[in-house]
Structures are given as structure tokens and as C-alpha cells.
Amino acid sequence: MNRIKYILALLIFTGAITQVAAQTRKYVSQFSHFQSYFNPALSGYEGSILRGLVRNQWAGFEGAPKTYFFSAELDFAEMGGERDPALTGKNALSLNLLNDTYGAFRENELTVAYASRVRLTNSHNLRLGVGVSYQSVRLDGNALTTEQASDPTIGQYIGTFSDMQVIDFNIGLALTHEQYYVSYGVHRVNGGSIQKGDEFMDGYPAEQMIQAGFREAVTPDFSIIANGFFRSRKDLPNVTELNLKALLMDKVWIGAGHRFDYANNIQFGLLTKRLRIGYVYEFPLSGTYLMASSTHEFTAILSLFRDNHKSHPRDVLIW
């Protein structure tokens, strides 16, 4: 293993160049399948579902980031038997659990979110959402690199274990239609100022996120889906991502994605009666120093109360 390359990649990811653990931005290549995590206003947008994700970043590197995610969303109108809950429903809840490990750090995050919808027209909703997040971060001082150990903020914890907890809030709004959506959300509105335990992070800046998507059934057996994602945080570079997928016979999708200045990916997925299963292979752009190796990402999404079927020939079953 090229130890120098490993150390450089790990330092960049964990933010040792500036504020080590504060720079733990979570990447999800299939972001269009996890809209509600990034924006609480989109809780219940796809109905009552369970979501799961496993992301193995920089495969083959010791201490490389690994992410496990699980969420549950409940649409009250769908649970009550409404004929068109996506349009006529008013309330939804979501519960998100995330576990992330990277080098010497381990994070656990719990977010509970509530979304309310206001019907604007026969086909449009305005959605508003708010979430409360609890984050626990554990630092293993025995796993620090030489450069991290010399950092004045975290170097004092070398050879020991340390924990900190952060409570914060997420907000969002979204304009939704069965064919498209536009949303704006903010994570950590309070900047991570409510902390308990050891302070090995100097704040946790708010992050603004814009998501948008469009889908269209070209024929009864062929649909196209396009999604975009923009993220901005004052202590990190802006990130823009694009995904384009084709859904074939309402059973299989194939697609590709691009994260500007970082990576490309290819996507594949299957739909069954209630389940969606997806896989992404992500590879860094040639010459980039922000990603060390390829990434594998697996997703599974289970619909709780309705099947993956069309109620109209122009419907599209995924985002």
C-alpha cells in the first residue's frame, strides 16, 4: 500500500488541513433516493417507506470511510387510505439513523423530522419541514495519524478516547409535482453550538442544499429521470452533482452520475412489487486529490402500503 497516498487521502477527507472532524460531509451517489434525509420537507414524498444504504468509500484503504443508513417515513394520508395521498395528504414523519466511520472518528446520528403540505393547485404542493438531529462523535486517539496528532485541537486526545454530542436543527421547503420537484434545505441551522462532552470540533457550520428533479414517461416501457444536487458550506468547497437514469419496463433502471471535480458513477437497479434495490460504482476523476479510490454503494427501499405500479400510463415509479 502506498502509505503516503493513504495518509493524504484520509487527512483531506477528515479535514485535518483546517478543522479535522468538522469537515465530515456525507456523500450519497444515489441522493435522489434519499431526498428526505437532506431536506425534511420531502419526508413522505414517495409515501410510507423504509430505506437502507451501505456505502464503502475508497475501497481497499485501511480506515477508509464506511456509511450505514436506515430511515422510515410515514405518510399519514396513505396510512388513512386516501386515494391520492401524495397530493391530498397534509402530514408526514421521518426517522433517520446514520452510522459513519472514517479513520479515528465514528459518528452516530439520529434525526426526527416532520413535514406539512399545502395544496397550491390540482397538481402542486408546497411542503415545509423541520427536523431535530442528535449526533454523537467518538474519537479514538490511538488511531490518529502523525499529522492529526500534531493538530492543536485534537492532538491533546492522542492515546485516549473522547466523545462529544451535538444537538441541532434542520429546515426545508419544497415545491412538488408528480413529474418534478424543487427544494431548498439547511442542515445544522444552529451551527452545532449546542454541544456536550469534549470539544474536539470547533463548531459545525450550517450547510445549504438545493435539490431538483424531473421525470417523464417517453413510452409505456421507457422513462427518463434526471436529478441535480447543489451543496454549500462556508468552510468547504461547493459541490454539484447530476444523475441521469433510464427506467425500462418498470423493472430495471440504468444510469450515470457526475460529481463535479470529484467523481463519476454508473448505476443499476431493480424494481419488484414492493422493493427497489440499487447499486452504484463510483470512481474518482483522473488527477483528483479529494478521492483515493473507487466506492461501492448499495441501497434498498421498501414500500410499506402500496405496490410499485402505475395508476396512469404516464406515471414514473422512481426518482
Side-chain angles (χ1 to χ4, degrees), residues 91-162:
N91 302 288
L93 286 175
S94 66
L95 174 70
N96 302 287
L97 300 170
L98 184 143
N99 173 268
D100 197 39
T101 59
Y102 47 98
F105 299 89
R106 178 185 297 273
E107 289 188 34
N108 291 292
E109 181 181 351
L110 168 65
T111 304
V112 179
Y114 166 77
S116 180
R117 289 166 278 180
V118 179
R119 188 170 182 177
L120 300 179
T121 71
N122 289 334
S123 55
H124 294 85
N125 273 327
L126 178 66
R127 297 170 182 251
L128 305 173
V130 61
V132 179
S133 67
Y134 169 80
Q135 189 174 25
S136 173
V137 186
R138 181 173 175 83
L139 168 62
D140 181 358
N142 298 300
L144 294 175
T145 65
T146 303
E147 288 81 357
Q148 289 172 337
S150 63
D151 183 275
T153 303
I154 64 172
Q156 59 184 310
Y157 300 106
I158 188 169
T160 65
F161 291 92
S162 182

Side-chain angles (χ1 to χ4, degrees), residues 2-317:
N2 187 331
R3 183 172 178 80
I4 296 177
K5 182 179 179 183
Y6 161 67
I7 293 175
L8 177 61
L10 186 59
L11 287 178
I12 291 171
F13 184 84
T14 58
I17 292 176
T18 52
Q19 293 177 315
V20 182
Q23 310 217 4
T24 56
R25 174 179 270 164
K26 307 300 184 296
Y27 290 109
V28 178
S29 296
Q30 301 173 88
F31 59 85
S32 60
H33 295 304
F34 295 87
Q35 301 157 331
S36 62
Y37 171 71
F38 296 107
N39 189 331
L42 292 171
S43 297
Y45 183 31
E46 295 186 281
S48 299
I49 54 180
L50 302 178
R51 305 179 192 263
L53 174 139
V54 177
R55 179 178 169 90
N56 184 3
Q57 190 165 316
W58 303 355
F61 283 83
E62 182 182 353
K66 292 183 175 63
T67 302
Y68 301 91
F69 176 84
F70 171 81
S71 73
E73 299 178 39
L74 295 176
D75 185 307
F76 295 158
E78 186 178 74
M79 295 172 63
E82 290 279 352
R83 183 175 181 180
D84 190 1
L87 185 62
T88 62
K90 295 182 179 181
N91 302 288
L93 286 175
S94 66
L95 174 70
N96 302 287
L97 300 170
L98 184 143
N99 173 268
D100 197 39
T101 59
Y102 47 98
F105 299 89
R106 178 185 297 273
E107 289 188 34
N108 291 292
E109 181 181 351
L110 168 65
T111 304
V112 179
Y114 166 77
S116 180
R117 289 166 278 180
V118 179
R119 188 170 182 177
L120 300 179
T121 71
N122 289 334
S123 55
H124 294 85
N125 273 327
L126 178 66
R127 297 170 182 251
L128 305 173
V130 61
V132 179
S133 67
Y134 169 80
Q135 189 174 25
S136 173
V137 186
R138 181 173 175 83
L139 168 62
D140 181 358
N142 298 300
L144 294 175
T145 65
T146 303
E147 288 81 357
Q148 289 172 337
S150 63
D151 183 275
T153 303
I154 64 172
Q156 59 184 310
Y157 300 106
I158 188 169
T160 65
F161 291 92
S162 182
D163 292 276
M164 69 175 293
Q165 297 83 41
V166 182
I167 296 177
D168 218 313
F169 309 94
N170 304 333
I171 60 173
L173 61 85
L175 176 67
T176 60
H177 182 276
E178 62 180 13
Q179 287 185 288
Y180 56 85
Y181 71 95
V182 179
S183 73
Y184 170 78
V186 181
H187 273 201
R188 298 181 301 277
V189 175
N190 202 37
S193 60
I194 305 176
Q195 294 187 10
K196 181 181 179 181
D198 298 309
E199 296 186 5
F200 48 80
M201 288 186 184
D202 186 14
Y204 213 146
E207 184 165 19
Q208 303 178 72
M209 307 179 192
I210 299 174
Q211 299 179 78
F214 174 81
R215 57 187 181 182
E216 176 70 24
V218 180
T219 72
D221 292 324
F222 177 73
S223 301
I224 56 172
I225 305 99
N227 288 274
F229 190 19
F230 172 80
R231 308 170 71 172
S232 177
R233 179 171 150 178
K234 68 178 183 179
D235 61 338
L236 292 175
N238 294 339
V239 174
T240 302
E241 302 184 55
L242 299 174
N243 280 342
L244 180 65
K245 297 188 286 289
L247 178 62
L248 310 175
M249 299 176 292
D250 297 328
K251 297 295 184 183
V252 177
W253 79 79
I254 55 174
H258 177 65
R259 184 178 303 121
F260 287 85
D261 300 324
Y262 288 79
N264 294 315
N265 67 68
I266 53 176
Q267 307 181 17
F268 173 80
L270 298 172
L271 275 76
T272 67
K273 183 178 180 180
R274 289 282 182 93
L275 188 64
R276 282 184 272 161
I277 301 173
Y279 168 73
V280 164
Y281 177 76
E282 182 180 290
F283 49 95
L285 295 177
S286 176
T288 182
Y289 64 90
L290 293 174
M291 299 189 69
S293 183
S294 59
T295 295
H296 302 277
E297 188 176 284
F298 301 88
T299 62
I301 301 173
L302 176 66
S303 177
L304 295 178
F305 302 118
R306 61 182 178 183
D307 296 341
N308 293 319
H309 69 84
K310 295 181 176 180
S311 57
H312 186 277
R314 305 297 295 181
D315 288 346
V316 182
L317 300 180

